[in-house]
Amino acid sequence: MIRLALLASLVVAALAAGAALAAGSPAAGKKVYAANGCGGCHTFKPAGSKGTIGPALTKARLAADAKRAKQPVTTFIRTSIVKPKAYVAPGFKPVMP
């Protein structure tokens, strides 16, 4: 459930970043993000969260981390949820559940 919530929140972030994704609901993703405490670890301006344990979910951050991981943004987001230790953003510890 937590990984689903994180996936939803990152999809919302990708949508905010302008990534082309399949049809989805940013409003629903925002609710899942809030309901599952994702903001406790991540800063995500549209959700009003300011967590600092994990990387901020911004267009620039997602693009930079995806580039470092040598993946398209949408693939990077999916991989980050399914295999969170596959890529750990610089300056962060591999603590994502």
Side-chain angles (χ1 to χ4, degrees):
M1 178 67 172
I2 290 175
R3 287 196 179 175
L4 177 60
L6 290 172
L7 177 59
S9 67
L10 288 174
V11 168
V12 171
L15 288 170
L21 299 175
S25 171
K30 184 176 177 181
K31 286 180 185 177
V32 171
Y33 180 90
N36 288 279
C38 302
C41 292
H42 297 281
T43 294
F44 185 48
K45 197 171 188 176
S49 66
K50 298 179 182 179
T52 59
I53 294 169
L57 304 177
T58 65
K59 179 179 180 178
R61 182 69 196 227
L62 287 169
D65 286 343
K67 185 176 181 178
R68 282 188 203 100
K70 298 181 175 143
Q71 298 176 11
V73 173
T74 54
T75 301
F76 173 74
I77 290 169
R78 184 173 289 112
T79 301
S80 294
I81 299 301
V82 177
K83 297 179 183 178
K85 291 179 177 66
Y87 175 84
V88 177
F92 295 93
K93 296 181 181 181
V95 296
M96 189 169 135

